[in-house]
Amino acid sequence: MQTVNIRVFDTPHDAGIYVAALAEQVIQSRPDPVLGLATGSTPIPFYDALVGLHRCGLDLSSVTTINLDEYIGLPPTHEQSYAYFMHRHLFSRTNIRPENIHIPNGMADDLVAECARYDDVIRQHPIHLQILGIGVNGHIGFNEPDDLLLSKTHVVELRPETVRSNARFFERIEDVPRRAITMGVQAILQADQIVLMAFGPEKADIIARSVLGEVRTDVPASILQLHKRVTVVLDRASAQGLFDESGRLREK
Ligand code: PGA
């Protein structure tokens, strides 16, 4: 974020329209657009807006999608799997081709081989626009705060705060998978352009630490400060830690 580009919207709905317009630019500007996609509540307004553009004539048949992560042990038919989420919110509502969709397989017998396969997919399809949400602990994808951030796709043990936060989607906290496959930070940082989205007051503190704080492996999103083309897309609540009383961006 050497040139920090921050956009603050009144509502997540408005923010979603802005991000969909960015995606449309990428999609229209090349024959083989590759979108890196995220799950969670945050990108839903973006997907709704992209579906809206598709209904108004935006052709997505040439788009390749590469998702950030998937729970280990949930089949794509499970309502809380990220494959299911993506079909529900985007793929089933557009003309993105099934063969152009890439999501880690959390049911693979050999998870190490699956991670290597996924890195091959990413190598073959360099990402033009990467969409990211952020966890309350600063994770991007499922790159959790740690002493070290891993560059390649890997299996990760979810942190207790991530399990607690994601429990809202499951009947019982015991049902939340404890492990996931996630793209590593190298693939994220190699994207041409990155959009980090966050909404709500519970994200204000981590957004301030990620944008204005030191680059630290225990605040994984802070690594985005090393990228040359990041746009941080917020609502007023998630942006509240970034600006002083006069509305100026606080000093780092
Ligand atoms: P959320 O999750 O969009 O549901 O808040 C974001 C994340 O954990 O990356």
Side-chain angles (χ1 to χ4, degrees):
M1 289 184 240
Q2 284 153 350
T3 46
V4 190
N5 197 9
I6 300 169
R7 293 283 177 278
V8 183
F9 294 86
D10 283 336
T11 64
H13 173 83
D14 292 351
I17 292 171
Y18 173 74
V19 179
L22 290 181
E24 168 157 7
Q25 280 173 14
V26 170
I27 292 164
Q28 302 281 34
S29 68
R30 51 181 81 242
D32 58 347
V34 181
L35 303 182
L37 298 179
T39 49
S41 321
T42 307
I44 291 176
F46 159 60
Y47 294 137
D48 287 343
L50 192 58
V51 169
L53 290 178
H54 170 65
R55 290 188 179 144
C56 301
L58 177 64
D59 179 17
L60 299 177
S61 62
S62 64
V63 172
T64 292
T65 65
I66 301 198
N67 265 80
L68 282 166
D69 46 17
E70 178 60 285
Y71 288 120
I72 290 175
L74 297 191
T77 49
H78 191 291
E79 285 191 19
Q80 295 310 331
S81 74
Y82 289 160
Y84 190 97
F85 174 102
M86 290 306 303
H87 280 91
R88 173 166 168 221
H89 290 285
L90 185 66
F91 301 147
S92 67
R93 304 162 76 199
T94 61
N95 66 338
I96 294 175
R97 295 177 193 224
E99 63 271 28
N100 291 346
I101 292 170
H102 302 282
I103 302 178
N105 175 10
M107 296 298 286
D109 290 331
D110 183 342
L111 293 168
V112 173
E114 174 58 11
C115 291
R117 180 195 72 81
Y118 209 65
D119 279 331
D120 268 346
V121 168
I122 297 165
R123 245 191 310 279
Q124 285 160 27
H125 303 93
I127 296 170
H128 302 120
L129 174 63
Q130 175 67 57
I131 306 295
L132 297 174
I134 181 171
V136 284
N137 64 7
H139 71 207
I140 46 176
F142 273 135
N143 291 280
E144 297 280 42
D146 213 329
D147 295 341
L148 173 93
L149 292 174
L150 297 179
S151 59
K152 292 186 185 298
T153 300
H154 58 281
V155 171
V156 59
E157 201 78 37
L158 301 182
R159 301 278 299 223
E161 61 273 17
T162 299
V163 172
R164 272 197 302 277
S165 170
N166 291 2
R168 68 192 194 276
F169 300 114
F170 291 81
E171 225 160 85
R172 304 170 316 155
I173 191 163
E174 295 76 35
D175 298 337
V176 183
R178 295 314 198 249
R179 291 193 308 158
I181 296 180
T182 186
M183 216 187 229
V185 291
Q186 181 180 335
I188 295 173
L189 289 176
Q190 278 176 347
D192 288 348
Q193 186 180 354
I194 298 175
V195 171
L196 176 68
M197 304 173 74
F199 305 127
E202 64 283 1
K203 299 283 173 72
D205 177 54
I206 194 64
I207 282 291
R209 289 168 61 207
S210 302
V211 175
L212 302 176
E214 285 172 41
V215 176
R216 304 168 57 110
T217 60
D218 59 356
V219 184
S222 66
I223 201 171
L224 299 174
Q225 293 180 33
L226 305 177
H227 194 279
K228 63 183 186 318
R229 200 163 170 217
V230 178
T231 305
V232 183
V233 173
L234 306 171
D235 65 356
R236 294 196 186 285
S238 60
Q240 66 200 5
L242 291 180
F243 300 98
D244 64 20
E245 300 73 41
S246 61
R248 261 200 304 270
L249 190 64
R250 289 184 197 281
E251 296 282 319
K252 283 206 181 201

